[in-house]
Amino acid sequence: MANTTRRLPPFTGPVLRPGDPGYEEEVSGFQTAYAHRPSLAVGAVDAEDVRLAVTHAAEHGLPVAVQATGHGLSVAADGGVLVSTRRMTDVHVDPATRTARVAAGARWGTVIEAAAPHGLAPLAGSSPTVGAVGYTLGGGIGLSARRFGYAADHVRALEVVTADGRLHRTGPGDELFGALLGSGDNLGIVTAMEVDLFPVPSIYGGQLVFDAPLAQEAVETWRQWTAEAPEELTSTAVLFRFPDLPAVPAPLRGRYTASLRIALDGPAERGERLVAPLRAVGERLVDDLREMPYAESDTIHREPATPHAYTADNALLRAFPPEALRAVFDTVGPRSPVDCVVDVRHLGGALRRRGPARVAVDHREAEYVVRVISFPGPGTDPDEIRERHALLRGALEPWTVGHSLAFLYGDGERADEARTRAGFEPDTYERLAALKAVHDPHNLFRLNRNVRPAGAGPATR
Ligand SMILES: Cc1cc2nc3c(=O)[nH]c(=O)nc-3n(C[C@H](O)[C@H](O)[C@H](O)COP(=O)(O)OP(=O)(O)OC[C@H]3O[C@@H](n4cnc5c(N)ncnc54)[C@H](O)[C@@H]3O)c2cc1C
């Protein structure tokens, strides 16, 4: 292994090696099934630290990974350099231009909080603890995705350190700019982004939760209902069993449920009218639909905030007919031998439309994304989980146009070349591979869902 201890550059943030106090904390993240084990973890405080880390890695022939929160960990570093951006949390809102400048490590919650006093909101997703930059570089399907489209389509500028150790500022019209949006850290480490904010001070939404006997009917009703949904309405159907734990409210504890999650950019009266057919399914265990300040929008999905182990697959579907819903219930529904959370998001609307920048987010014809998430750990068999997820993918094949790399969790084959290619249309993958050959010919940024440089030999980690 190359010696990484000699001649360290003058970093401002901490530099940690295995065994150092603080190393374990620095490398850990939201995903606990596996973690980065770099030979050097750089706790970057600014773009210059990122630049120095990349330059140092390039000089020593070491691969580079980047981590903000660990929500999207794909390939864990085993050696190499980890750039940890968790200290780079600055967010600056400019109400006049309706933009936010967001540093690499900021979470959506910080951006939401900074924008709210101006009556503005970012295109954040279901969880405020997700990193804003990592989310946006993966496309970014937000709470109001059908109205505004992908977060990646609303970026004004990116500041990025490329493999040659240079810091660039790129914007719409630059080839690198469009290619960065959708390809994660394949072409560099983004140190900050400037994104559009939207005048959305409040939102109508929440959950309708139905008990097991009504679960299938609730999701079938939702499925039919989405066909007529206006673009201001983005919704998700989730099937899962609440854990049988004291922390869970008694009426939900241990129950298999269908939860319909609603987000409408519009007033409560309109929301109430629109959701009437869903309420008509029957009694709800939870019905908390209401108009709320956008700053409370995390209560729509109530995503877990505590780090845990998870693995997930997904399929982007051109249609979600009754046969597809039956396939979901038959493969990963209540009788599945492994616990599966199923999350079907309604796409379409503005997500179909491409902006002028050649943003590398594909499969725009998808009308739904079906996700399946399981939790490896004691008492679970990873092969059984893999097999269940594969059964679902196989059953949905007739309607599948590809998958979303942002919703693929797990290492090993879930991050292999075939899976990465399926995240893009073939032309986009070739464009990214050609740019990779220019900007990262030695594949320094390979600890990810890797796009290999055009003309490169077999994959190495
Ligand atoms: C609970 C949960 C809820 C989610 N909800 C949504 C949702 O509603 N909509 C949606 O679209 N996605 C959602 N996601 C997916 C999420 O957008 C991706 O997992 C994303 O990669 C997370 O980014 P991160 O920075 O938080 O994670 P990290 O694990 O820190 O980073 C993941 C990857 O992002 C890239 N990355 C991060 N920072 C940089 C950087 N500075 N420069 C270059 N590349 C970088 C790298 O490829 C890195 O490996 C969710 C994920 C979870 C676990």
Side-chain angles (χ1 to χ4, degrees):
M1 188 189 294
N3 183 348
T4 57
T5 59
R6 279 180 295 133
R7 289 183 282 106
L8 277 183
F11 293 111
T12 305
V15 180
L16 303 158
R17 298 185 189 80
D20 285 350
Y23 173 90
E24 296 300 332
E25 200 190 338
E26 194 68 50
V27 302
S28 69
F30 192 73
Q31 170 67 272
T32 59
Y34 46 98
H36 289 297
R37 307 293 308 168
S39 49
L40 204 67
V42 176
V45 298
D46 56 18
E48 178 60 8
D49 271 356
V50 176
R51 216 188 55 69
L52 292 174
V54 171
T55 308
H56 176 76
E59 280 171 11
H60 292 80
L62 296 167
V64 181
V66 55
Q67 176 162 279
T69 72
H71 279 77
L73 175 58
S74 52
V75 174
D78 178 12
V81 174
L82 174 68
V83 177
S84 166
T85 61
R86 62 177 69 190
R87 292 168 187 77
M88 298 171 65
T89 54
D90 283 356
V91 173
H92 176 75
V93 168
D94 183 346
T97 55
R98 288 188 179 163
T99 55
R101 185 175 195 280
V102 182
R107 297 175 190 253
W108 272 131
T110 312
V111 188
I112 291 170
E113 214 174 280
H118 308 285
L120 298 171
L123 297 184
S126 57
S127 165
T129 63
V130 164
V133 166
Y135 163 103
T136 305
L137 295 178
I141 297 175
L143 290 175
S144 306
R146 284 171 41 78
R147 177 165 183 208
F148 298 114
Y150 283 99
D153 288 334
H154 295 280
V155 180
R156 301 223 184 157
L158 292 172
E159 290 163 27
V160 58
V161 173
T162 43
D164 56 7
R166 285 196 300 148
L167 177 66
H168 312 253
R169 186 176 162 89
T170 68
D174 298 342
E175 218 179 3
L176 182 62
F177 177 79
L180 283 160
L181 292 161
S183 65
D185 63 337
N186 266 290
L187 294 165
I189 298 185
V190 168
T191 56
M193 65 176 184
E194 269 173 38
V195 293
D196 289 329
L197 298 173
F198 296 83
V200 184
S202 65
I203 190 164
Y204 171 86
Q207 300 196 5
L208 302 174
V209 181
F210 297 88
D211 204 355
L214 287 177
Q216 193 149 357
E217 189 187 335
V219 183
E220 171 56 23
T221 305
W222 171 81
R223 191 193 67 74
Q224 293 178 26
W225 175 84
T226 53
E228 301 298 326
E231 290 193 0
E232 305 89 276
L233 183 57
T234 302
S235 62
T236 304
V238 180
L239 290 165
F240 85 111
R241 190 180 302 284
F242 279 91
D244 193 1
L245 295 172
V248 176
L252 299 172
R253 214 172 286 163
R255 284 188 187 273
Y256 192 83
T257 60
S259 140
L260 306 181
R261 300 172 182 181
I262 308 294
L264 171 78
D265 293 309
E269 309 81 68
R270 179 146 189 254
E272 294 286 305
R273 267 198 314 280
L274 282 166
V275 301
L278 302 178
R279 283 195 167 124
V281 168
E283 194 189 338
R284 280 87 63 200
L285 295 172
V286 175
D287 181 341
D288 64 2
L289 299 185
R290 69 201 191 283
E291 193 168 332
M292 64 185 93
Y294 189 87
E296 290 174 21
S297 61
D298 60 309
T299 61
I300 294 176
H301 283 264
R302 297 187 187 278
E303 296 275 19
T306 322
H308 58 276
Y310 49 100
T311 173
D313 207 334
N314 71 83
L316 288 162
L317 306 186
R318 69 175 66 83
F320 190 50
E323 307 87 279
L325 177 56
R326 266 199 303 279
V328 167
F329 269 86
D330 290 349
T331 55
V332 291
R335 286 172 300 282
S336 163
V338 291
D339 267 352
C340 291
V341 175
V342 183
D343 175 310
V344 189
R345 291 194 186 193
H346 185 207
L347 306 179
L351 292 163
R352 291 190 202 109
R353 300 192 276 275
R354 282 189 183 274
R358 296 179 75 205
V359 164
V361 178
D362 284 343
H363 306 312
R364 303 268 181 152
E365 71 275 39
E367 290 290 324
Y368 298 85
V369 58
V370 177
R371 305 165 58 203
V372 58
I373 303 144
S374 296
F375 307 97
T380 64
D381 175 354
D383 290 337
E384 205 173 11
I385 292 177
R386 206 174 296 119
E387 197 181 307
R388 268 296 121 186
H389 291 192
L391 267 179
L392 174 70
R393 284 294 301 256
L396 294 177
E397 191 56 44
W399 307 281
T400 299
V401 298
H403 58 220
S404 157
L405 298 181
F407 292 139
L408 207 54
Y409 308 128
D411 55 359
E413 86 271 25
R414 290 184 198 247
D416 70 10
E417 187 177 346
R419 290 284 181 130
T420 301
R421 279 182 181 270
F424 302 99
E425 281 153 22
D427 285 359
T428 305
Y429 188 89
E430 297 314 322
R431 170 162 63 99
L432 295 176
L435 281 169
K436 181 89 174 164
V438 173
H439 293 286
D440 184 15
H442 304 298
N443 208 359
L444 201 67
F445 302 117
R446 61 180 179 271
L447 300 171
N448 50 25
R449 301 193 190 286
N450 193 229
V451 174
R452 287 193 302 124
T460 53
R461 292 276 186 228

